[in-house]
Amino acid sequence: MIQMHDVTKSFDGVPVLNGVNYTLSHGEFAFLRGRSGSGKSTFLKLLYRESEREHGTILIDGTAIDALQKFELRRKMGIIFQSYELISQHTVLENVLIAGKALGRPLEEIEAEAMRLLTRVGLADKVHQFPNKLSGGQQQRVAIVRALLNKPKLLLADEPTGNLDRETAQDIMTLLYELHREEQMAMLIVTHSEELLTSGARVSVMEGGHIDE
Ligand SMILES: Nc1ncnc2c1ncn2[C@@H]1O[C@H](COP(=O)(O)OP(=O)(O)OP(=O)(O)O)[C@@H](O)[C@H]1O
C-alpha cells in the first residue's frame, strides 16, 4: 500500500528525514512512534503531498505519487488529525457528507453510507448536532467516519488521540483497530504514546531521520 524508498526532506538546510525506507502492505495495521520533532508528521505529509520530498521514491497502491494529481492521490486515502478538523457551522452528517460530495457521489448513496458508519461508531443520535456540542472523542469519531466514507484503501492518522483523555484515547484506538478489520483497509497511526499501542500490532520508530522496525 505504501512503498517508500530512500526519502529525504530537510527544512532550511536541516535534515529531518534522512533516507527513509518504509513499506506498509495492503490491509496492514501499523503504528509509527517517535519523539516530538523526530519527523513523524513530516513523513505523513509527504505521503499525502502536503509537503514535497527532496529525493527518493514513494508509491501508494503501486503508483508513484507524482504520477497523480493531488486530488487523485487523496482519493486513495482517508486522513485524520489530532485536531479533528470538523467544520463548526455544519452538522455531524453534513461534515461527513462533504467527503462524498467532493467526489460527486449520489446523495442517497452517501447518506446511507454515512448513517451506517455513524451508527457503527455510536453517533446515530448525534447526526444533526453541531460539532461544538460533542465531546472530543465524539468529534474524532465523526472525523473517522468522514475519512472512511469513500472506502479508502489506506487510512493515515496523525496523533489521533493527542487531545483526548487516556480512557477515550484507548476507546478511539480500539475503534480504529476494529474498523481496520471490518472495513478492510490499511492503517498507519502516528502516536507518541506507548501505552496506546494495540498489543501485537507492528510498531516502527522514527529516530535520527530513519524508520526502524
Ligand atoms: N514547515 C516547516 N518549516 C520548517 N521546519 C519544519 C516544518 N515542518 C516541520 N519542521 C521541523 O521538522 C522537524 C520535524 O517536525 P514534525 O512535525 O515532522 O515532527 P513530529 O515527530 O511529528 O513531532 P510531534 O510529535 O511533536 O508532532 C521539527 O524540527 C520541525 O520544527
Side-chain angles (χ1 to χ4, degrees), residues 11-12 16 34-43 45 158-159 190 192 206:
F11 292 107
D12 306 320
V16 174
R35 295 172 66 160
S36 183
S38 59
K40 306 181 298 297
S41 295
T42 301
F43 167 80
K45 283 178 184 168
D158 195 353
E159 294 278 8
V190 162
H192 63 264
M206 172 82 71

Side-chain angles (χ1 to χ4, degrees), residues 13-177:
V14 180
V16 174
L17 304 182
N18 202 1
V20 171
N21 296 302
Y22 186 77
T23 303
L24 185 79
S25 303
H26 283 269
E28 192 174 4
F29 182 87
F31 288 102
L32 178 63
R33 271 184 51 224
R35 295 172 66 160
S36 183
S38 59
K40 306 181 298 297
S41 295
T42 301
F43 167 80
L44 288 186
K45 283 178 184 168
L46 296 185
L47 292 174
Y48 59 90
R49 287 189 61 200
E50 180 66 21
S51 183
E52 299 293 339
R53 71 195 183 283
E54 286 154 359
H55 302 288
T57 53
I58 304 176
L59 276 65
I60 298 281
D61 199 16
T63 306
I65 60 172
D66 320 82
L68 302 170
Q69 300 282 334
K70 265 188 210 175
F71 76 90
E72 293 173 309
L73 174 68
R74 291 180 189 176
R75 268 184 197 180
K76 291 178 177 287
M77 51 180 75
I79 311 172
I80 59 172
F81 303 95
Q82 178 170 340
S83 50
Y84 323 129
E85 310 284 338
L86 301 177
I87 298 170
S88 57
Q89 303 91 322
H90 287 185
T91 64
V92 163
L93 183 60
E94 288 164 352
N95 265 282
V96 172
L97 293 177
I98 282 170
K101 286 179 181 170
L103 296 194
R105 293 175 62 190
L107 191 58
E108 216 170 273
E109 175 188 307
I110 56 175
E111 272 184 351
E113 182 65 354
M115 288 306 299
R116 178 182 79 80
L117 287 165
L118 286 166
T119 302
R120 167 63 186 87
V121 304
L123 293 177
D125 60 338
K126 304 286 184 197
V127 295
H128 300 303
Q129 290 277 14
F130 288 89
N132 66 1
K133 302 278 188 222
L134 304 184
S135 70
Q138 289 170 334
Q139 290 184 57
Q140 191 58 292
R141 285 165 194 264
V142 177
I144 291 168
V145 168
R146 182 182 57 189
L148 298 189
L149 186 75
N150 294 324
K151 300 187 189 302
K153 290 183 183 172
L154 172 66
L155 183 96
L156 301 175
D158 195 353
E159 294 278 8
T161 62
N163 285 346
L164 302 173
D165 64 65
R166 207 161 122 183
E167 201 175 325
T168 309
Q170 192 60 68
D171 290 346
I172 292 290
M173 285 301 187
T174 303
L175 176 66
L176 285 171
Y177 184 66

